[in-house]
Every structure is written in structure tokens, then in C-alpha cells.
Amino acid sequence: MPAASAIRTLVVDDQLTMRSLVRASLQQIGVRDIEEAPDGEAALRSLLVQPLHLVISDFNMPNLDGLSLLRAIRAHPPISKTAFIMLTGRADRELVQRAVQFGVNNYLVKPFTTAQLKEKLEAVFGPLT
């Protein structure tokens, strides 16, 4: 069982409020090492400098949307195995199918609860301590 505190995470969303909500939920779960990026371009730059264990990314963003960020991560061997959870405001079947094709590990529909986020993390990493 991995410790939640050991999961180094990047939260990517163009809305500061949503980044703060995700951060607060992650902290309640026990995740301590949390970075933030306002868009996919900034996230990719950050990951190429300092790889992390998990990206939680919104789908709709300027400068590089979540699906494009996922594709870019999967195309860069040093970070290609980074776990990726897509955060979306819509339960769009086509989006989810495209994300699965590109290697998304899971997805979470907004609005979400801390319990739902924990469930998604455990689906990716196994039971957390």
C-alpha cells in the first residue's frame, strides 16, 4: 500500500478556484507534495524539469488542453509513465474514450467529493495509507 503522502502531484487547471479545491481534497486524503499549473503548456514544462507521480488535469484549458497534455506526456519517455487523471465538467463519453486511447489512468467528473477523488487515486495506485 502506498502512502498518500508519497504521491507527488501536479494539479492543472486554468481556474485558481478549482486548483484550490483539488489541492484541499488531496490534502484531506494525505497527499502533501502538490504543485499547480494554470495550463497544459506550463504543466508540461514543469514535468520535463521535475517528473512527478500524478497529474490531475482539467480538459478545457488555454495553451494546451488536457487531452493534448496527456498525449504530450505519453510521448516523452522520461515522463510517459506518469499517472494521469482527467478532470472534466462533463461526462462526455467521446472525450473519455479518446482519453483512454491516449493512456489516461482514470477520470473524475466535476463537481466531485474528496471520497470520489480518493476512490480514483486508489484505482490508480492501490489502497492508500
Side-chain angles (χ1 to χ4, degrees):
M1 277 189 248
S5 61
I7 301 172
R8 297 174 54 229
T9 304
L10 177 62
V11 178
V12 188
D13 198 301
D14 57 325
Q15 294 186 13
L16 177 60
T17 302
M18 184 54 63
R19 291 195 312 268
S20 297
L21 289 171
V22 174
R23 174 184 284 276
S25 287
L26 287 167
Q27 289 172 332
Q28 286 179 16
I29 294 166
V31 177
R32 297 290 169 248
D33 191 349
I34 306 166
E35 297 185 24
E36 297 180 19
D39 60 50
E41 283 183 1
L44 185 58
R45 281 193 308 271
S46 176
L47 287 167
L48 290 171
V49 170
Q50 179 63 50
L52 302 173
H53 300 116
L54 172 66
V55 171
I56 299 175
S57 176
D58 187 28
F59 174 71
N60 291 311
M61 295 180 294
N63 301 327
L64 193 63
D65 67 35
L67 195 58
S68 298
L69 173 60
L70 172 60
R71 291 177 71 183
I73 289 171
R74 295 296 181 248
H76 285 83
I79 58 173
S80 64
K81 300 296 183 197
T82 304
F84 196 106
I85 296 176
M86 185 72 71
L87 184 60
T88 181
R90 53 191 165 139
D92 182 1
R93 192 167 185 62
E94 182 181 325
L95 166 64
V96 171
Q97 289 174 340
R98 288 185 11 220
V100 167
Q101 289 174 339
F102 296 127
V104 75
N105 296 90
N106 217 319
Y107 73 97
L108 184 62
V109 178
K110 297 185 270 188
F112 64 90
T113 64
T114 299
Q116 289 169 323
L117 177 57
K118 183 177 183 188
E119 190 176 290
K120 299 297 182 174
L121 290 176
E122 289 183 333
V124 173
F125 294 102
L128 300 175
T129 59

